Amino acid sequence: MLFKIASVAALVSSVAAHMAMNEPCPRFSPNCATQPQLPAGQSYNHNIKDPIAYDGPVFMSDVPWPQPVASWTAGQPVTVGFQADGAAHGGGHCQFAISYDNGKTAAIVHKVMKHCFFNGPSNSNNAEVLKYTFTLPADVPASSNAQFIWIWTNAVGGRELYTGISDITIANSGGSKSYTGKSAIYPNHAGYDTIPEFNGDYTTGVSLFDNAPNVVVSPGGSAVSPSVPEYTSSAVESTSVPPPVGHTPAPKPSAESIVESTVEPTVEVTATEPPASVEPTVPPTEPTTPATPVYTSSAPTAVPTGSACAHGALQCVNGNAGFQQCVWGVWSATFACASGTVCQQTSPNAVICGWP
């Protein structure tokens, strides 16, 4: 009973304010230490602490700042900060991701599961942790037009979704062309699973994040790649501040890394005892070859944007130079694969941009 009362109290007090990112400054926030001049026709978002509408866009704005609000370097520590006066809803799950296509595709670079904003289990609305410092993976490609994304699923209270998107630049002297990571997901939003109130079980919903598909993000185009059998993450999971520094860079996708997992069949031969004068013989078995993703070398020309399709479908187009995704029944614009890679159709609803 005490827990239920605490939950109701959290709901009542959260009407006024929720948690919101302020470093790097999200689009059109009036609450950052500094921010660029507003673009023409835009105004400050004084509702930036509100949850995202269930069936609306997952970000409050798709218009970028006219100039980046932060300059990050791959392989170096970065800091994400939050306002001190927001309701923290007992913590929950936070995802931190990078995108190169204005948030359409985002790959996780860090996450804080279970107790985001706290150092452990809590029913409090008063955050204990307001900054997270982590190492940006070394294989995140350079770009003057990247986006950093924060996504929060609260532990206590109404089942809501909170997000922030910031415009940043990324420097990388290593020449990485793409980054592979778990896809960002948006629980409690239309088209995604609802994570129930934790009620003291902080593992609630964790499997959704663990089972998210891989994505390959790149300034040259991004793709969902659910057929990749294993994931080596360069993102660091933390439960306190500062989180561990250091990482293992994820390998570049290769022909081998996109081969679907197969198991060689075992042939068992059972024979009765032959006469003494007859040599037993077993017919030779043909060697098997692991199956590889099949894709057509001459992909169709891109379907006009807005044409009807089945939601979630993906197809390689333009001679495998890029791909299209069906979003809520209409085809998207074409996403180009990164330089040197080609689109590979691994199934009717799955593609990956990989090295030929």
Side-chain angles (χ1 to χ4, degrees), residues 150-297:
W150 160 70
I151 307 164
W152 174 40
T153 306
N154 55 308
V156 176
R159 308 324 299 142
E160 296 169 332
L161 172 71
Y162 301 85
T163 69
I165 182 169
S166 306
D167 299 289
I168 65 172
T169 66
I170 299 175
N172 188 328
S173 59
S176 175
K177 299 298 184 183
S178 65
Y179 170 74
T180 301
K182 287 288 188 181
S183 175
I185 60 174
Y186 302 88
N188 305 336
H189 190 267
Y192 292 86
D193 290 302
T194 296
I195 295 179
E197 193 170 16
F198 290 12
N199 289 324
D201 180 3
Y202 287 87
T203 65
T204 301
V206 169
S207 62
L208 292 178
F209 303 92
D210 292 341
N211 296 327
N214 289 349
V215 291
V216 180
V217 292
S218 167
S222 303
V224 180
S225 53
S227 62
V228 178
E230 295 183 0
Y231 169 68
T232 302
S233 175
S234 56
V236 180
E237 180 176 341
S238 70
T239 55
S240 62
V241 61
V245 175
H247 70 290
T248 301
K252 289 185 178 180
S254 64
E256 289 77 13
S257 68
I258 61 172
V259 172
E260 295 191 31
S261 178
T262 59
V263 179
E264 294 256 352
T266 301
V267 179
E268 294 186 12
V269 179
T270 304
T272 57
E273 187 71 19
S277 60
V278 179
E279 289 293 327
T281 60
V282 178
T285 58
E286 292 293 326
T288 58
T289 302
T292 57
V294 177
Y295 64 96
T296 305
S297 59

Side-chain angles (χ1 to χ4, degrees), residues 3 48 61 83 85 87 122 146 173 202 209 211 213 215 221 247 275 280 320:
F3 184 84
I48 200 161
S61 176
Q83 292 179 235
D85 56 353
S122 176
S173 59
Y202 287 87
F209 303 92
N211 296 327
V215 291
H247 70 290
N320 296 313

Side-chain angles (χ1 to χ4, degrees), residues 295-309:
Y295 64 96
T296 305
S297 59
S298 55
T301 303
V303 177
T305 301
S307 298
C309 55

Side-chain angles (χ1 to χ4, degrees), residues 19 59 62 70 115 118 144-145 152-153 219 239 256 258 273 301 324 335 354:
M19 297 302 293
F59 304 112
D62 60 359
H115 309 302
F118 292 92
S144 60
N145 184 27
W152 174 40
T153 306
T239 55
E256 289 77 13
I258 61 172
E273 187 71 19
T301 303
Q324 287 180 290
F335 295 97

